[in-house]
Amino acid sequence: MKNLFFLLITMILLPLHIAAHEMRPAYLHIKQVDENTYNVFWKIPRRGDMVLRLHPVFPESDNLRELTIPKVMEGAMLYSYSLTTQSPLEGQNLTIDGLQKTMIDVLVNVDYLNGEKVSFMLKPDEPEKVIPGRISTFQVIKSYTVLGVEHIWFGIDHLLFVLALIIITKGFKKIVKTITAFTIAHSITLSMAVLGFANLPGPPVEAVIALSIIFLAVEIVKNINGQETITSKKTWLVAFTFGLLHGFGFAGALAEVGLPQSDIPLALAFFNIGVEIGQIAFVVVVLAVIRGLALKKDWPVILKKVPAYAIGSIAAFWTIERIAGFWI
């Protein structure tokens, strides 16, 4: 049923650039400290020593003064500025110079002195917007739903894990049960981590997530060889167990962009909903491809194993890379 699909997936996976979470959004936090002064915190994604050349441009950018030296963070650079203006930022244009040349979004949070907080998104095809004085609940919902969808679609390791679950699970009902268990599990730990009830350090979590993909790749091979394992018997249980860990990975990504303090529950809920929308879309596409290409049944066993080897090899590279990153 899935044999031709196995070959297609292998062709997709082999040339895949073996990295994950490269496309996390940039984050701009503007905090008003008095009538004409704002603290500006600008976080840009980086990959190794490569940092995207993006710069926020304000109406009075000549008055933008660097407060501290740039701080190197895991997967990002953080810049701190002080902005002095002659007139309020509300109603003025904000531009991210260079954004149109990238594939990432920018989440902007503004905290006003009167307690008002606004959030909005800037995109490569829309690198400029008027800074609002207050923003609707709908805009918060829209911004964080989009963030959730983008995170799962650009989170290659999470998608690879879901793909492995689909390959190893037999039958549509069991696939639904398995994906539901994974969803419930990562929703639990995502919420607990963001709300401060539980926390795990990011680098070890990312390394173990890669190991979870290797585990599933090995289980796929055993399944093809006719061996019955705990994964083949109760895939939903394995999905739930590892899903708890993946939730901490989602929480780490959300922590990088931040949440509007006045709308934390709302933003968290719709980030999670966005993740699920993106995940469901991926599952639907994969199942459609499986059904559309399930034409030939008698493929050699070795060819059936190739996708598992490809998935496992990519995950093994991530594991080594992430463990090595503990000491870098």
Side-chain angles (χ1 to χ4, degrees):
M1 188 73 179
K2 299 177 181 177
N3 300 313
L4 189 56
F5 172 69
F6 287 167
L7 286 181
L8 179 66
I9 290 300
T10 301
M11 293 172 64
I12 294 172
L13 291 176
L14 287 178
L16 183 68
H17 190 285
I18 40 184
H21 296 311
E22 291 186 28
M23 304 300 293
R24 287 180 177 171
Y27 176 55
L28 180 64
H29 183 194
I30 305 167
K31 184 175 182 179
Q32 187 176 16
V33 292
D34 61 40
E35 185 177 354
N36 297 314
T37 306
Y38 301 81
N39 285 340
V40 178
F41 303 96
W42 175 227
K43 185 186 289 185
I44 313 175
R46 71 179 180 92
R47 179 69 180 171
D49 293 329
M50 186 184 74
V51 181
L52 294 176
R53 293 187 176 182
L54 300 175
H55 307 282
V57 179
F58 295 92
E60 301 175 46
S61 288
D62 290 344
N63 296 326
L64 193 65
R65 178 174 57 86
E66 196 167 66
L67 288 177
T68 61
I69 61 173
K71 182 181 179 181
V72 179
M73 307 176 67
E74 182 188 352
M77 290 289 293
L78 178 63
Y79 301 85
S80 300
Y81 303 98
S82 176
L83 175 67
T84 304
T85 63
Q86 299 301 314
S87 56
L89 278 183
E90 178 182 348
Q92 302 293 324
N93 283 342
L94 169 66
T95 305
I96 304 298
D97 184 41
L99 187 61
Q100 66 275 14
K101 300 176 183 178
T102 72
M103 295 178 61
I104 71 167
D105 297 337
V106 177
L107 175 64
V108 182
N109 280 340
V110 185
D111 296 347
Y112 289 110
L113 202 58
N114 63 2
E116 292 286 346
K117 299 175 186 291
V118 300
S119 300
F120 58 94
M121 298 281 288
L122 293 173
K123 297 174 172 291
D125 60 352
E126 191 181 13
E128 179 178 334
K129 270 190 179 181
V130 174
I131 300 173
R134 63 173 61 198
I135 201 162
S136 66
T137 298
F138 173 75
Q139 287 298 323
V140 175
I141 291 173
K142 178 183 176 182
S143 294
Y144 280 88
T145 301
V146 170
L147 275 178
V149 172
E150 290 182 343
H151 176 69
I152 189 67
W153 282 354
F154 291 120
I156 304 173
D157 49 359
H158 297 298
L159 290 183
L160 215 54
F161 183 85
V162 172
L163 175 61
L165 286 175
I166 295 173
I167 291 175
I168 204 170
T169 307
K170 301 294 188 292
F172 179 75
K173 289 185 178 179
K174 287 187 176 180
I175 289 176
V176 171
K177 184 178 180 181
T178 297
I179 298 302
T180 300
F182 180 64
T183 295
I184 292 172
H186 69 62
S187 297
I188 291 171
T189 46
L190 169 61
S191 300
M192 291 179 65
V194 170
L195 296 175
F197 295 115
N199 193 27
L200 289 176
V205 166
E206 296 293 335
V208 179
I209 285 174
L211 283 172
S212 72
I213 302 171
I214 296 175
F215 172 80
L216 283 186
V218 172
E219 294 290 282
I220 292 171
V221 173
K222 289 181 179 179
N223 188 254
I224 293 172
N225 288 337
Q227 298 180 41
E228 203 170 38
T229 65
I230 183 64
T231 305
S232 59
K233 290 179 182 178
K234 296 185 177 181
T235 315
W236 69 269
L237 181 59
V238 173
F240 183 87
T241 302
F242 283 123
L244 293 172
L245 187 68
H246 282 246
F248 285 110
F250 291 137
L254 186 54
E256 286 188 5
V257 297
L259 288 167
Q261 294 303 303
S262 60
D263 291 306
I264 287 179
L266 185 69
L268 171 60
F270 280 91
F271 176 83
N272 206 16
I273 288 171
V275 168
E276 302 323 316
I277 292 172
Q279 182 174 281
I280 290 170
F282 175 74
V283 172
V284 168
V285 170
V286 169
L287 291 178
V289 172
I290 289 175
R291 186 162 187 169
L293 297 179
L295 304 174
K296 184 175 174 59
K297 297 182 179 180
D298 301 322
W299 289 88
V301 173
I302 187 62
L303 288 183
K304 295 180 183 180
K305 295 180 181 179
V306 172
Y309 292 143
I311 291 171
S313 298
I314 293 170
F317 178 89
W318 284 336
T319 303
I320 295 170
E321 181 184 51
R322 292 171 183 183
I323 291 175
F326 294 172
W327 295 278
I328 297 177

